[in-house]
Amino acid sequence: MTDVDAAGARELGILIKATQAALNQRMDEALRPLGLTVAQYACLSNLHAEPGISSSELARRTFVSRQSMNVLLQALEKQGMVERAPEPGPRRERAALLTSRAQTSLAQAETAVADVLARMLTGLDPTQRDALRAGLTACRDALLDV
Amino acid sequence: MTDVDAAGARELGILIKATQAALNQRMDEALRPLGLTVAQYACLSNLHAEPGISSSELARRTFVSRQSMNVLLQALEKQGMVERAPEPGPRRERAALLTSRAQTSLAQAETAVADVLARMLTGLDPTQRDALRAGLTACRDALLDV
DNA sequence: GTTGTCATGTCAACATACTGACATCAAGTC
DNA sequence: GACTTGATGTCAGTATGTTGACATGACAAC
């Protein structure tokens, strides 16, 4: 790898961090009026996409430790947003489900987040979006496989 | 924005988060043997690129609060990695500089990080890298400008 | 000169996330 | 059956990061 490649690679690393930081900040601003944090939104969104998954599975999908996800879930449980099955499943997991109140809250959150994402993608035509998706997928996969 | 666009946008948001999480994890693994955290590396790297900048400026460039950067700098000072000017500048800022020990430590860190970045970009030709850079830049800028 | 504004550095309190450790239970292995 | 392996949930301790608040000093406006 040449020097210019190395410099460009470092720039890309910083760019990934900067973009994620900006996106997180905007999402936080958009979700705060709804009383949700970004982590809570991610939790609810994943539970909506796949109801009944366990806390550990949820942790993996939101890129946090299962301990952190557990305290997050407990907070959401106190707020009446999720209900957890009292009876553990085959692998000791307790299924989590959204309450109807969480469904409506999540719907509002989804539109707020959609606005942020639409703003982020302003100026990128479908071809460019596909290129971005392909590039990020390649980066992620290259970093993930052991 | 159509439904498929919205779904694609959400996928992109998750992809940015996933890529950044994977990159951070690999960097952490690569830097741990050197006794550096990712935040510390970012701090040293920015100080190397622009010696003498203030703690607040450093905080902005590494996407953390200036309070967090201050405790980070104090830790690096205790380790003999940075020296801070005792005399504050015109705006009360205290310039930070790398010690020679930090220079050598940073050099090792740079090669370790370069390996991670090279791995990340495996499978992307220069054209694809340019497209990725352009896409991320557009996303970041669209989210940043008020 | 006085005032208002802004950025820095710093202190305190709080929130969040992580690691390490342990018990539990299912499923495979011998 | 006895054993190991792997995944989950949970407790405790710690590290890290954030917000809020305040004092300080420079600069511009008046």
Side-chain angles (χ1 to χ4, degrees):
Chain A
M1 179 175 278
T2 70
D3 281 359
V4 301
D5 284 346
R10 226 168 42 186
E11 185 192 343
L12 263 174
I14 297 172
L15 207 42
I16 292 173
K17 170 74 173 176
T19 307
Q20 196 275 329
L23 175 58
N24 205 65
Q25 186 174 341
R26 296 305 171 195
M27 284 181 61
D28 185 77
E29 293 170 3
L31 292 172
R32 183 170 301 140
L34 304 175
L36 286 178
T37 66
V38 177
Q40 286 174 332
Y41 160 74
C43 182
L44 295 183
S45 185
N46 276 285
L47 272 180
H48 178 76
E50 193 145 349
I53 59 179
S54 68
S55 177
S56 292
E57 180 60 29
L58 215 38
R60 275 188 292 271
R61 301 194 185 196
T62 50
F63 313 104
V64 296
S65 67
R66 63 184 195 272
Q67 293 91 334
S68 298
M69 178 52 65
N70 223 328
V71 306
L72 224 166
L73 269 184
Q74 287 176 359
L76 286 173
E77 211 174 354
K78 279 189 180 177
Q79 294 178 22
M81 302 288 263
V82 311
E83 291 175 350
R84 303 190 70 183
E87 300 298 324
R91 266 183 187 159
R92 197 169 171 73
E93 74 273 14
R94 290 171 53 202
L97 289 172
L98 295 184
T99 64
S100 59
R101 181 179 159 201
Q103 307 266 5
T104 66
S105 183
L106 179 58
Q108 297 177 339
E110 291 288 9
T111 67
V113 170
D115 286 348
V116 174
L117 291 172
R119 171 179 171 182
M120 178 179 82
L121 296 177
T122 303
L124 288 184
D125 61 37
T127 304
Q128 292 170 315
R129 298 184 188 189
D130 286 344
L132 178 59
R133 175 177 8 254
L136 285 173
T137 302
C139 288
R140 181 201 56 182
D141 292 345
L143 291 170
L144 280 191
D145 59 5
V146 187
Chain B
M1 180 174 275
T2 69
D3 280 358
V4 301
D5 285 346
R10 226 170 39 187
E11 184 192 344
L12 262 174
I14 297 172
L15 208 41
I16 292 173
K17 171 73 174 175
T19 307
Q20 195 275 330
L23 175 57
N24 204 66
Q25 186 174 339
R26 294 306 172 195
M27 284 181 62
D28 185 76
E29 293 170 2
L31 291 172
R32 181 170 303 140
L34 303 175
L36 286 177
T37 66
V38 178
Q40 288 174 331
Y41 161 75
C43 183
L44 296 182
S45 186
N46 276 286
L47 272 180
H48 179 75
E50 193 146 348
I53 59 179
S54 69
S55 176
S56 291
E57 179 61 29
L58 215 37
R60 276 189 291 270
R61 302 192 185 198
T62 49
F63 314 102
V64 298
S65 66
R66 62 185 194 274
Q67 293 92 331
S68 298
M69 179 51 65
N70 224 328
V71 307
L72 223 167
L73 269 185
Q74 288 176 359
L76 286 174
E77 212 175 352
K78 279 188 180 177
Q79 296 179 22
M81 303 289 263
V82 310
E83 291 174 351
R84 302 190 71 182
E87 300 297 325
R91 265 183 187 160
R92 200 171 169 72
E93 75 271 15
R94 291 171 54 202
L97 291 171
L98 295 184
T99 64
S100 59
R101 181 178 157 201
Q103 304 268 4
T104 64
S105 183
L106 178 58
Q108 296 177 341
E110 291 290 8
T111 68
V113 170
D115 286 347
V116 174
L117 291 171
R119 172 179 171 181
M120 179 178 79
L121 295 176
T122 303
L124 290 183
D125 61 40
T127 304
Q128 291 171 315
R129 298 184 188 189
D130 285 344
L132 177 58
R133 176 179 6 255
L136 285 173
T137 302
C139 288
R140 181 201 56 182
D141 292 346
L143 292 169
L144 280 191
D145 60 5
V146 187

